[in-house]
Amino acid sequence: MTDSTDLLLAERAKTHGSFEHHARLTQSLKRDMEQEPNWKGLSDRHQESLHMIVHKIGRILAGNPNFHDHWDDIAGYAKLGSEACE
């Protein structure tokens, strides 16, 4: 990796937590969601909105819970999911 990539990853770890922790947590949450009976009936937009919301929840739990962007992003993805409703 380049020095700039290493610096970027170190900076992101301050707000997002370690990649390993975040990946384990987020993938666990996604697996649980995808086992629910309604999952397969959701549109791609609804599924992706939920995936992204869980991704942001993972960042909150693995990283800095006081980083406003995580919470604002959840609101944005929830809005996109709402707009996909028929």
Side-chain angles (χ1 to χ4, degrees):
M1 270 190 246
T2 65
D3 288 341
S4 63
T5 301
D6 289 336
L7 289 172
L8 176 66
L9 291 174
E11 191 62 30
R12 291 294 190 270
K14 293 176 187 174
T15 54
H16 300 6
S18 78
F19 181 71
E20 292 78 13
H21 182 192
H22 177 260
R24 180 183 46 76
L25 173 62
T26 302
Q27 289 303 307
S28 176
L29 292 169
K30 286 180 180 182
R31 280 189 292 275
D32 288 345
M33 272 192 325
E34 292 168 5
Q35 295 304 309
E36 291 300 316
N38 283 349
W39 181 259
K40 290 186 180 180
L42 295 176
S43 68
D44 288 343
R45 290 172 65 190
H46 283 140
Q47 288 182 358
E48 188 62 16
S49 293
L50 288 171
H51 272 170
M52 292 306 298
I53 289 168
V54 166
H55 182 80
K56 300 304 178 174
I57 290 170
R59 286 184 172 177
I60 290 166
L61 294 174
N64 179 356
N66 294 307
F67 190 60
H68 289 274
D69 285 359
H70 300 327
W71 298 100
D72 294 341
D73 288 347
I74 288 171
Y77 287 114
K79 175 94 169 109
L80 292 171
S82 175
E83 290 172 356
C85 292
E86 297 175 2

